Amino acid sequence: STPILNRPQSAVLGMHNIIERPVIVDGKITVRPILPLSLSYDHRVVDGADGARFTSHLEMMLSDVRRLLL
């Protein structure tokens, strides 16, 4: 699903339910919990590169919780 922007919002982060999906880790298929994220933003306010950078930084922080504590 895609979050809908309402005025005066410039961006909305959608966090969906955590589901277990097969992923490849070190060449082997394993089941891992996955949290789908989606970011909707007003392109008049937020540049696409900045939105992508924010999403990838958030993914990096959530994948290693120890980074959140630093």
Side-chain angles (χ1 to χ4, degrees):
S1 67
T2 303
I4 304 296
L5 290 175
N6 296 308
R7 290 185 184 200
Q9 297 171 329
S10 58
V12 175
L13 177 67
M15 300 177 74
H16 307 283
N17 58 333
I18 298 174
I19 52 177
E20 290 188 345
R21 291 215 170 150
V23 294
I24 298 175
V25 178
D26 297 328
K28 297 179 183 176
I29 299 174
T30 60
V31 177
R32 294 276 173 99
I34 302 294
L35 173 66
L37 299 174
S38 57
L39 180 66
S40 294
Y41 49 91
D42 187 348
H43 289 271
R44 296 171 294 181
V45 178
V46 178
D47 184 43
D50 292 331
R53 221 177 348 265
F54 170 77
T55 306
S56 64
H57 181 72
L58 182 62
E59 176 189 357
M60 180 185 64
M61 297 298 282
L62 291 175
S63 65
D64 187 7
V65 181
R66 292 176 292 178
R67 293 182 188 191
L68 292 173
L69 300 175
L70 294 176

